[in-house]
Amino acid sequence: MPPLRLLLALLLLLGCASAQSPSAEQRCFCQVTGHLDDCTCDVETIDSYNNYKIFPSLQKLLENDYFRYYKVNLKKPCPFWSDSSHCGIRDCAVKPCPSDEVPGGIRSESYKYSREAATFVEDCEEAERLGAVDESLSKETAEAVLRWTRHDDSSDSFCEVDDIQSPEAEYVDLLLNPERYTGYKGPEAWKIWNSIYEENCFKPQSIKRPLNPLASGRAAAAGENEGNMFYSWLQGLCVEKRAFYKLISGLHASINIHLSARYLLRDTWAEKQWGHNVTEFQQRFDEVLTQGEGPRRLKNLYFIYLIELRALSKVLPFFDRPDFQLFTGDKRRDEETKSLLLEILHLTKAFPLHLDENSFFAGNPREAAKLKEEFRHHFRNISRIMDCVGCFKCRLWGKLQTQGLGTALKILFSESLIENMPERGPSHKFHLTRQEIVSLFNAFGRISTSVKELENFRDLLRPLQ
Ligand SMILES: *[C@@H]1O[C@H](CO)[C@@H](O)[C@H](O)[C@H]1NC(C)=O
Ligand SMILES: *[C@@H]1O[C@H](CO)[C@@H](O)[C@H](O)[C@H]1NC(C)=O
């Protein structure tokens, strides 16, 4: 390690952990404890509530047919840049990416990712293979799916998403396509996150995002300064815009936890073995290796958790109506699924430390409405960026999770829900499509799994007694 980086590493160590030489565990989790910013909740409460109550029931729910099939158009072209020059899409399956298509900023010197960047070209075919989406559906399922579609069409839905009507949209079995390591990382993945953070998070160009792998030619020492500037900028933002950034960062953290927890550990002709890769986890979240960024990202995971949890607790009356069904065609199973769903929603309602969404968009009504529109606009744009994700499996989960988060936000900030639902009984003005419902619960399932996985990584990092 060059002396400068070593010094920086030492400074960071002193900054966070209390012990003189913090353990590997502390170095990832030092910020993930106690109170969270912008809400009244603490990490430990969420951990035990999630890991022992929500997580097990939610997993069971998501195995049901209703939640298992998600319709998605993975063939939409990227609206922002031409994807032909990128690895991981069709072309990549037949020939590897020429090295001159790797963005120049990546090849920057002592940066920790530069080794990955160098092996990027070879990884490309591998990523394509691992990232392929399994499209198989049994004949019975295909028929049932047809019936659901008719059922959805006949409902009083007024927010149909065009995409779903497209002949290119197809059902995908989410259980056959788990979110896990695909080999899709490095420059191409950075480009997606970069456009999200740089162009869609209210951030002026003059403020540099710390640890941006696409920022070329920067010295390690600049990192700390950028971090200071960035966080004082973030602190100065209004609570809504800060929340927006934290949601994106939390989603990003969750995806990275999944990749580390379902890492491809063994790949032989006889078997593939997926499991925890502690080194990968540390590279993404260790305080020293990430110049302090990792622990902050983990903290944002809890923020997105609270937002989605609050949305679920609020939407209970919509699902509680006697005429609401989770229709798959199997009446008995559908009823069972619905009662499990309601059980979970009651559990979310019982959570004692919900954040208060009324503190968002609360100021001057005209300003608030404008801000809300901007918020929505940015979020919609981010969902479009998902069509630029090269690896199909990552695109699938990216689209699903943004739609799920979007649905959570729709619930939290929907006027018709707020005005009409409480006590007096649910309004029929508020509606969720099957797609919205499936994405909402599966997205929350991902975040809940990530919180649970943190416990596993904590154990793996704990020194043996
Ligand atoms: C949408 O995102 C793209 C890609 O980051 C960006 O170039 C564009 O400016 C964004 N559009 C709006 C209206 O925010
Ligand atoms: C775990 O991840 C590291 C860093 O990404 C990688 O170098 C290593 O090969 C992985 N370990 C296994 C067993 O795959």
Side-chain angles (χ1 to χ4, degrees):
M1 199 187 271
L4 202 58
R5 291 200 56 196
L6 191 67
L7 182 67
L8 183 74
L10 285 172
L11 283 174
L12 280 165
L13 277 178
L14 294 173
C16 185
S18 49
Q20 280 203 322
S21 58
S23 67
E25 181 200 353
Q26 285 167 325
R27 280 175 25 182
C28 291
F29 292 99
C30 66
Q31 293 220 3
V32 191
T33 177
H35 269 265
L36 294 161
D37 317 323
D38 292 336
C39 61
T40 57
C41 190
D42 63 280
V43 167
E44 288 74 14
T45 307
I46 302 178
D47 279 344
S48 63
Y49 168 78
N50 178 70
N51 298 353
Y52 302 103
K53 291 185 173 161
I54 286 287
F55 174 80
S57 316
L58 194 56
Q59 290 310 303
K60 219 173 119 202
L61 180 75
L62 296 178
E63 283 168 14
N64 280 291
D65 281 357
Y66 186 87
F67 289 99
R68 168 174 183 180
Y69 299 105
Y70 178 61
K71 196 174 191 188
V72 63
N73 183 354
L74 295 173
K75 298 182 185 129
K76 261 164 97 177
C78 169
F80 300 116
W81 57 80
S82 136
D83 37 29
S84 60
S85 67
H86 289 278
C87 157
I89 319 205
R90 290 147 229 138
D91 291 348
C92 206
V94 288
K95 65 176 163 65
C97 287
S99 61
D100 62 355
E101 285 174 10
V102 178
I106 311 310
R107 301 187 210 110
S108 63
E109 37 346 309
S110 67
Y111 199 69
K112 86 180 176 70
Y113 288 118
S114 56
R115 224 188 36 240
E116 277 172 31
T119 58
F120 173 61
V121 178
E122 293 94 300
D123 284 349
C124 187
E125 283 190 311
E126 173 72 1
E128 168 69 11
R129 192 171 62 79
L130 294 172
V133 170
D134 187 333
E135 286 170 354
S136 59
L137 285 186
S138 71
K139 191 159 158 281
E140 299 79 65
T141 308
E143 281 165 11
V145 153
L146 220 99
R147 288 198 299 276
W148 304 338
T149 319
R150 281 195 216 110
H151 186 82
D152 256 4
D153 286 347
S154 64
S155 73
D156 61 344
S157 156
F158 59 84
C159 48
E160 280 297 329
V161 189
D162 289 339
D163 195 20
I164 297 316
Q165 313 296 357
S166 150
E168 302 213 294
E170 286 174 308
Y171 278 96
V172 170
D173 181 341
L174 296 172
L175 296 183
L176 275 186
N177 292 282
E179 183 182 33
R180 64 186 175 197
Y181 182 81
T182 62
Y184 180 71
K185 55 182 180 178
E188 204 199 344
W190 297 339
K191 179 168 177 172
I192 300 287
W193 286 109
N194 200 55
S195 55
I196 292 175
Y197 285 118
E198 295 296 319
E199 293 159 21
N200 291 279
C201 280
F202 303 100
K203 190 176 78 56
Q205 273 195 341
S206 57
I207 302 291
K208 299 276 178 272
R209 180 162 57 97
L211 213 74
N212 178 356
L214 292 181
S216 58
R218 34 186 289 272
E224 196 180 13
N225 191 24
E226 279 169 8
N228 290 340
M229 266 179 71
F230 180 82
Y231 287 102
S232 59
W233 164 76
L234 195 65
Q235 229 26 62
L237 279 183
C238 64
V239 65
E240 294 82 2
K241 291 183 180 176
R242 186 162 58 240
F244 192 95
Y245 169 82
K246 282 160 66 179
L247 287 176
I248 298 300
S249 168
L251 178 60
H252 193 179
S254 174
I255 290 172
N256 285 337
I257 292 168
H258 274 81
L259 306 188
S260 312
R262 311 264 181 286
Y263 198 93
L264 182 57
L265 297 174
R266 262 169 73 92
D267 188 13
T268 65
W269 63 271
E271 64 157 350
K272 273 197 197 316
Q273 194 199 336
W274 309 83
H276 294 89
N277 182 329
V278 175
T279 313
E280 180 77 20
F281 181 82
Q282 285 177 300
Q283 282 191 4
R284 295 178 184 276
F285 298 108
D286 181 283
E287 186 185 29
V288 175
L289 298 178
T290 62
Q291 302 182 13
E293 283 299 294
R296 290 196 182 99
R297 292 174 183 165
L298 289 181
K299 212 167 176 178
N300 291 333
L301 173 73
Y302 287 85
F303 184 71
I304 191 175
Y305 186 91
L306 286 174
I307 286 278
E308 296 192 357
L309 185 70
R310 177 70 186 123
L312 290 181
S313 75
K314 212 175 157 184
V315 80
L316 169 64
F318 171 79
F319 291 102
D320 210 8
R321 301 185 313 211
D323 62 348
F324 179 85
Q325 329 175 32
L326 292 165
F327 184 81
T328 69
D330 181 336
K331 200 161 181 307
R332 194 180 52 83
R333 288 276 298 280
D334 291 353
E335 276 164 17
E336 282 169 14
T337 314
K338 181 171 171 180
S339 74
L340 179 56
L341 176 98
L342 290 177
E343 211 175 282
I344 293 173
L345 291 178
H346 281 288
L347 212 55
T348 66
K349 224 175 149 74
F351 182 71
L353 297 169
H354 272 298
L355 57 76
D356 177 13
E357 77 282 359
N358 293 322
S359 58
F360 297 104
F361 307 115
N364 167 334
R366 264 181 60 200
E367 292 286 307
K370 187 164 155 271
L371 185 60
K372 195 191 270 187
E373 200 41 49
E374 249 184 291
F375 199 96
R376 199 177 275 154
H377 184 71
H378 279 247
F379 195 79
R380 227 179 273 135
N381 205 37
I382 288 177
S383 65
R384 295 167 72 206
I385 296 177
M386 292 301 140
D387 287 318
C388 305
V389 173
C391 150
F392 283 122
K393 200 174 281 168
C394 317
R395 186 183 294 192
L396 165 66
W397 284 101
K399 287 176 82 117
L400 180 138
Q401 294 189 76
T402 43
Q403 190 181 12
L405 179 55
T407 305
L409 297 175
K410 169 177 161 175
I411 294 167
L412 285 183
F413 303 121
S414 166
E415 306 291 340
S416 57
L417 189 69
I418 294 167
E419 284 164 11
N420 298 301
M421 297 238 325
E423 288 86 40
R424 275 174 293 134
S427 152
H428 282 264
K429 259 164 61 188
F430 180 84
H431 184 77
L432 294 177
T433 62
R434 178 175 176 278
Q435 286 290 109
E436 286 175 316
I437 296 167
V438 172
S439 63
L440 176 68
F441 284 89
N442 273 287
F444 186 58
R446 298 293 83 206
I447 306 294
S448 162
T449 305
S450 290
V451 169
K452 169 80 180 154
E453 282 299 349
L454 284 188
E455 184 177 60
N456 295 334
F457 278 113
R458 234 187 249 264
D459 290 342
L460 289 167
L461 283 165
R462 197 164 286 151
L464 293 171
Q465 300 294 332

